[in-house]
């Protein structure tokens, strides 16, 4: 007692494939696949082959070296560690400080305010 929507599903899948093909060129697809493969590989310790995410910090990699391979040169585990530490230690530019704009003050004298208040109301008897 199934729904029997195989034809509808196939038509929707074909429509989605056509839409996806129109969005990206084959070169873009290859570049995206290569980036995904590189990100999936991430960073690997050359001694024990433990994998780390590509956004791992040098501090995390140093922690691995100190806990697992304390007697080994750190560059034997991660050859790119020196360049990562150099990039991390470079001072980042501070974000620009936005100055608050001051609103111009309305210059009205007290006489203007008093005269406006007195002229607007009538006295009740």
């Amino acid at each position: 007692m199934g729904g029997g929507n195989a034809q509808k599903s196939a038509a929707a899948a074909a429509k989605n494939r056509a839409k996806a093909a129109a969005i990206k060129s084959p070169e873009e697809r290859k570049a995206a696949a290569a980036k995904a493969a590189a990100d999936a590989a991430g960073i690997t310790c050359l001694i024990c082959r433990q994998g780390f995410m590509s956004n791992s910090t040098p501090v995390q990699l140093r922690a691995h070296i100190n806990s697992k391979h304390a007697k080994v040169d750190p560059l034997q585990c991660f050859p790119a560690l020196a360049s990562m530490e150099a990039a991390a230690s470079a001072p980042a530019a501070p974000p620009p400080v936005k100055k608050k704009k001051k609103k111009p003050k309305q210059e009205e004298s007290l006489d203007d305010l008093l005269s406006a208040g007195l002229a607007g109301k009538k006295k009740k008897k």
Side-chain angles (χ1 to χ4, degrees), residues 35-60:
K35 183 181 181 302
D39 288 345
I43 301 169
T44 305
C45 175
L46 297 179
I47 295 175
C48 65
R49 297 293 182 196
Q50 180 175 348
F52 294 89
M53 293 179 60
S54 59
N55 61 350
S56 296
T57 63
V59 174
Q60 294 169 329

Side-chain angles (χ1 to χ4, degrees), residues 1-14:
M1 316 316 175
N5 286 329
Q7 185 176 8
K8 187 176 179 181
S9 298

Side-chain angles (χ1 to χ4, degrees), residues 50-74:
Q50 180 175 348
F52 294 89
M53 293 179 60
S54 59
N55 61 350
S56 296
T57 63
V59 174
Q60 294 169 329
L61 300 179
R62 286 270 179 201
H64 169 79
I65 293 167
N66 292 337
S67 65
K68 304 281 183 175
H69 315 293
K71 297 179 181 178
V72 179
D73 179 37

